[in-house]
Amino acid sequence: ANSALVDAAVLAMELACDRTIASSLEAYEARRRPAVTQVQSDARRLARLAAATSGPGRVGRDLALRLAGCLPAHRQARRLYQEDPAQLRDRCAALVATAPRPWSR
């Protein structure tokens, strides 16, 4: 769900730039691809850990998850958020504030 919300915000920001739709979409893809690739990689890694059935595999999984939980909260959050949430909020608010309002006539 977070990725979808970030995708929507970034797409809106890129489309609001003064350039062609094609170049806005290219910029969107270039901006989002690294984060999406990382999310996919993390998901595959977690799926492999979850599937561990052997004794040593389960012990390794449990240890890895315990150690991951010891990371500072800001490092965990940065990876999950993919982009700075405050910056996304501010830039999207600015887009909304400047958007034409056809219903207000």
Side-chain angles (χ1 to χ4, degrees):
N2 179 66
S3 288
L5 292 171
V6 173
D7 282 344
V10 171
L11 182 59
M13 287 185 284
E14 295 297 344
L15 288 171
C17 291
D18 190 23
R19 57 181 175 230
T20 66
I21 291 176
S23 61
S24 292
L25 292 174
E26 287 172 10
Y28 162 78
E29 182 179 356
R31 184 171 169 183
R32 292 298 297 141
R33 184 174 294 278
V36 170
T37 301
Q38 186 64 55
V39 167
Q40 291 170 333
S41 176
D42 290 347
R44 275 192 296 276
R45 201 173 299 115
L46 285 172
R48 282 194 305 270
L49 284 172
T53 57
S54 70
R58 287 193 311 256
V59 170
R61 173 198 58 210
D62 295 347
L63 178 61
L65 291 174
R66 196 171 308 118
L67 292 173
C70 294
L71 289 173
H74 70 278
R75 281 195 58 201
Q76 294 177 40
R78 191 172 3 152
R79 193 169 183 113
L80 292 173
Y81 292 150
Q82 304 169 24
E83 297 239 356
D84 180 1
Q87 186 180 52
L88 285 178
R89 178 200 61 219
D90 293 346
R91 291 190 64 196
C92 285
L95 286 175
V96 170
T98 59
R101 291 183 172 50
W103 60 84
S104 64
R105 291 183 190 173

